[in-house]
Amino acid sequence: ETDYEKSIAICKSAMQKYPDDTSLQERCNYYMGFEPISLFDMTSYTSDKSYSEEVTDNAGQVHDKAIVVGWMYDYDASFRLDRSYNTLHGVVGVPEQSKGASLNGKVEIYGDGKLLWKDHEVNGNKQPREISVDITGVEDLRLVIKGDLYGFSSVSVMFADVTLQRTIR
């Protein structure tokens, strides 16, 4: 639990006791502005591809929601952020069906056309990893995710539990 979560819990408790206190309401709204939001709750303006729910990665960890891309198609989606967030968090790896796959999938994150983060060696021999990317000042966020196929071998790529958070107000 983080400090903003504690502050929100305290605010909600205080609001029950003092529901007409406008100063308290303003302070609660301020702290709620730091609550992370799921990228999966946002609408992409360039893609209508859906997300998978309850995806298990190659390390056995279950993720609530994930973008899972196989070798048959790529994921390329853009989201309007309006410079409202500072940090993107998520987990990059492969789903359990690609465990042991040695081919490399790719994940790229762009902010206003500039490459902010990439991993071109996402494969089933690596553990999934948490990432944090600075997206301060980004108007348009673009995610590009690709699996791979070679002969009878393939690798799927997973980008899970993606959240956006405001850390500076």
Side-chain angles (χ1 to χ4, degrees), residues 7-18:
S7 298
I8 290 171
I10 291 168
C11 276
K12 287 181 179 179
S13 176
M15 287 298 296
Q16 289 178 352
K17 196 168 190 172
Y18 305 103

Side-chain angles (χ1 to χ4, degrees), residues 1-12:
E1 186 173 61
T2 57
D3 289 338
Y4 75 87
E5 290 170 326
K6 291 176 187 173
S7 298
I8 290 171
I10 291 168
C11 276
K12 287 181 179 179

Side-chain angles (χ1 to χ4, degrees), residues 1 4 14 17 21 29 35 64-65 76 87-88 90 97-98 101 103 106 114 124 132-133 136-137 142 151 165:
E1 186 173 61
Y4 75 87
K17 196 168 190 172
D21 187 328
N29 289 337
E35 192 168 18
D64 290 335
K65 292 183 181 177
D76 190 336
T87 310
L88 176 145
Q97 66 265 26
S98 287
L103 294 173
K106 300 175 183 180
K114 179 183 172 189
S132 181
V133 179
T136 302
R142 180 177 172 218
Q165 186 170 14

